[in-house]
Amino acid sequence: MGANDFRHKAARTVDWIADYFERIEAYPVRAPAKPGEIAAQVPEMPPAQPEPFEEVLRDFERVIVPGMTHWQHPRFFAYFQANSSEPSVLAEMLTAALAAQCMSWETSPAATELETRVLEWLRGMIGLPEEFAGSIQDTASTATLCTLIAARERATAGQANRSGLAGSPPLTAYCSAEAHSSIERAVRIAGIGSENLRKIPVDRRGGMDPTILADRIADDAARGACPAWVTASLGATSYGAMDPVRRVAEVARISGVWVHVDAAWAGSALVLPEHRHLADGVDLVDSFVFNPHKWLFTNFDCTALFVRDAEQYVGAFAISPEYLKTPHGEEVINYRDWGIQLGRRFRALKLWFVIRMFGVEGIRRRIREHIEWSERLANTIRGTDGFEIVTERSLSLFCFRFVPDPALSGDELNALNERLLARINDAGRIYLSHTRVGGRYALRFVIGQTNTTWQHVDEAWIEIQRCASEEWAEHPGGS
Ligand SMILES: *Cc1c(COP(=O)(O)O)cnc(C)c1O
């Protein structure tokens, strides 16, 4: 390509990105694509000869962009956001240019040392005790699996890694009935098995009942099983339920059970001192995960995993074949031993850019606003005839539904709200997702995109009401 040619093409790409950010609100938030529509526009065979950049970029605009759901659209209120920011994008360009493998200190000393330092920053920002050591993982799913593997090795004194699980008593794991599906997947992958995962019932607000947890652990131990790992969820995905971390940890620690906290989304809110009480008891846990790639303005992927006993944790993963041995082996951190991947991207760079260019106060201000606006909209909906709050606000998430006529049956209301969600998302001005709570179909509303303002939230509410009255006018009654 040559340096000048690259400079020119890169400048065009940056122009495209800047234009995209400027006009992002003109796109439908959710891709209007039908299954197979995009694939049909991509040739079945790769080109044998090089194609010009102009043509590839044109096809990117023509074929790919219309088939994308725009996660950085400020009227994206679905799932949990995977937000990003300009500083993060700039850092990612540099990461792509360096294209370094950050597996060992020697293969990327700066990446290793920056990762350590930036995770110390994060640890302080969310109020975790200093004995926790951090590493960056690709996703919360992977991080959670890693903690389960470390717990498995602790519970079996390394036997599972040495000779497999066949000879040991069955290991058992625990989480709340509201826990994320990645917990059960981890239990399957780690060889523990879904049947050995106890989903502990929750109280009215969705938090795990620690008394039932204690009973289940005692029952399992009494019948010869080995209770090994519990996940406390802070901000479970459905409606943001919070487990009582301190009580879960107190119960679990008596039996030597590894306590993991899944705060994938809610962890970012701990940068606000006024919300730290949600994590009360975190000083007692073994590991804690949250995703800066959800609500900390750092583009996917970037998961922060903190473990209390780094030596024990790394012991579950460390393997040192001759071809990976480097000098300084003992004095440096080799993050290749901190999880599943050998090769690792330089993800600390984008966190460094984000934290420096926003400043901790800049990050706090945005997250605080998201929570305030969520509170404001939830109150408006509560006070509006024909709507009801289904689950109370948890940080910036609440669930609601349309109830135009109190005489409608539960099934009719569910069908109506399902149709309403489809109408809203098909219209493309905003994007919401749903859940079911106690059999009730509910619309979830989450605020967390970087450039969302109160005006976008207000527009969303107008759009919801507009779609609701249209839906009701076209299908009055339960039909
Ligand atoms: C999003 C989420 C996950 C999964 O996160 P990934 O990084 O996509 O694996 C796990 N737990 C909770 C509570 C989540 O909200």
Side-chain angles (χ1 to χ4, degrees):
M1 203 179 261
N4 267 334
D5 194 16
F6 177 76
R7 206 180 298 279
H8 174 72
K9 293 183 167 86
R12 292 239 9 223
T13 308
V14 170
D15 273 345
W16 189 92
I17 296 172
D19 288 346
Y20 173 68
F21 288 162
E22 230 168 44
R23 62 181 182 218
I24 193 165
E25 290 186 44
Y27 292 97
V29 190
R30 192 197 62 187
K34 308 230 166 8
E37 213 171 78
I38 318 300
Q41 299 176 73
V42 180
E44 279 174 25
M45 300 300 287
Q49 301 303 329
E51 295 187 273
F53 170 70
E54 304 300 324
E55 220 161 281
V56 180
L57 187 64
R58 195 163 347 111
D59 284 347
F60 167 73
E61 285 186 312
R62 184 181 63 84
V63 177
I64 304 302
V65 178
M68 292 303 292
T69 292
H70 297 282
W71 282 71
Q72 303 317 317
H73 196 302
R75 286 191 303 271
F76 185 110
F77 303 106
Y79 305 100
F80 286 131
Q81 282 76 10
N83 69 15
S84 180
S85 63
E86 285 152 355
S88 189
V89 172
L90 295 174
E92 279 285 49
M93 291 188 211
L94 300 176
T95 291
L98 296 170
Q101 278 297 344
C102 309
M103 52 199 189
S104 310
W105 178 86
E106 181 175 297
T107 66
S108 289
T112 299
E113 294 187 13
L114 189 66
E115 181 162 336
T116 309
R117 182 49 47 89
V118 166
L119 283 162
E120 286 165 2
W121 286 5
L122 271 186
R123 182 183 67 200
M125 283 165 63
I126 63 170
L128 280 187
E130 277 185 11
E131 63 259 35
F132 282 87
S135 65
I136 302 182
Q137 306 283 333
D138 55 5
T139 58
S141 302
T142 302
T144 291
L145 171 61
C146 288
T147 70
L148 175 54
I149 290 168
R152 185 189 72 189
E153 293 315 299
R154 186 169 88 176
T156 63
Q159 191 206 305
N161 269 351
R162 269 195 314 276
S163 51
L165 280 165
S168 69
L171 300 182
T172 49
Y174 308 81
C175 65
S176 99
E178 289 297 330
H180 191 267
S181 56
S182 58
I183 311 291
E184 181 159 356
R185 183 179 284 167
V187 162
R188 293 179 183 183
I189 296 172
I192 287 165
S194 289
E195 286 173 12
N196 294 311
L197 174 64
R198 315 282 179 242
K199 294 185 181 166
I200 307 298
V202 296
D203 64 19
R204 202 177 43 79
R205 298 222 49 193
M208 184 192 310
D209 185 327
T211 324
I212 303 180
L213 173 67
D215 290 348
R216 296 305 304 266
I217 291 176
D219 288 351
D220 285 327
R223 62 174 188 83
C226 175
W229 183 76
V230 60
T231 289
S233 303
L234 272 190
T237 311
S238 175
Y239 55 94
M242 305 278 175
D243 289 338
V245 175
R246 178 172 296 283
R247 296 199 52 211
V248 167
E250 282 168 355
V251 162
R253 277 160 50 116
I254 297 170
S255 313
V257 173
W258 182 293
V259 185
H260 175 57
V261 175
D262 176 5
W265 163 69
S268 293
L270 301 180
V271 299
L272 300 176
E274 64 267 32
H275 294 295
R276 293 265 170 83
H277 63 94
L278 294 171
D280 174 53
V282 82
D283 48 314
L284 302 177
V285 309
D286 295 286
S287 53
F288 179 98
V289 67
F290 89 104
N291 284 346
H293 71 228
K294 274 187 168 146
W295 201 9
L296 213 75
F297 317 109
T298 307
N299 69 282
F300 190 87
D301 50 354
C302 186
T303 289
L305 172 62
F306 294 93
V307 294
R308 170 193 298 284
D309 186 339
E311 201 175 323
Q312 182 175 63
Y313 171 81
V314 170
F317 298 96
I319 293 187
S320 199
E322 195 53 39
Y323 51 80
L324 288 178
K325 292 207 170 108
T326 49
H328 313 294
E330 298 295 301
E331 341 150 25
V332 296
I333 294 179
N334 290 312
Y335 280 115
R336 65 167 191 260
D337 289 334
W338 288 61
I340 294 167
Q341 303 178 269
L342 169 65
R344 307 172 82 252
R345 300 181 66 239
F346 188 3
R347 299 192 189 89
L349 193 68
K350 57 188 171 184
L351 267 175
W352 194 52
F353 271 51
V354 166
I355 297 171
R356 291 187 62 187
M357 292 174 69
F358 278 77
V360 176
E361 284 306 327
I363 290 172
R364 286 197 175 122
R365 182 173 57 75
R366 280 183 174 73
I367 293 179
R368 195 174 272 133
E369 281 175 349
H370 295 161
I371 295 171
E372 280 169 13
W373 297 334
S374 179
E375 166 88 3
R376 211 192 294 177
L377 180 59
N379 285 337
T380 301
I381 292 182
R382 197 191 320 280
T384 303
D385 278 347
F387 286 89
E388 69 180 26
I389 295 294
V390 176
T391 61
E392 292 300 327
R393 186 183 56 81
S394 171
L395 298 170
S396 70
L397 160 67
F398 65 90
C399 299
F400 70 100
R401 64 176 183 168
F402 180 40
V403 188
D405 179 351
L408 292 175
S409 73
D411 285 348
E412 287 167 339
L413 278 174
N414 286 350
L416 171 64
N417 278 279
E418 200 170 334
R419 290 198 309 272
L420 171 59
L421 182 69
R423 180 183 289 268
I424 288 170
N425 290 339
D426 288 348
R429 287 182 196 88
I430 66 172
Y431 187 24
L432 305 182
S433 57
H434 80 281
T435 188
R436 253 174 228 275
V437 185
R440 289 175 299 168
Y441 187 99
L443 279 60
R444 293 169 76 263
F445 198 97
V446 195
I447 304 178
Q449 203 284 321
T450 314
N451 300 311
T452 298
T453 62
W454 167 251
Q455 194 192 328
H456 295 110
V457 177
D458 197 39
E459 286 163 1
W461 173 227
I462 292 168
E463 176 70 358
I464 291 165
Q465 290 172 287
R466 186 186 72 78
C467 290
S469 37
E470 267 180 29
E471 184 58 45
W472 188 240
E474 281 178 35
H475 302 277
S479 66

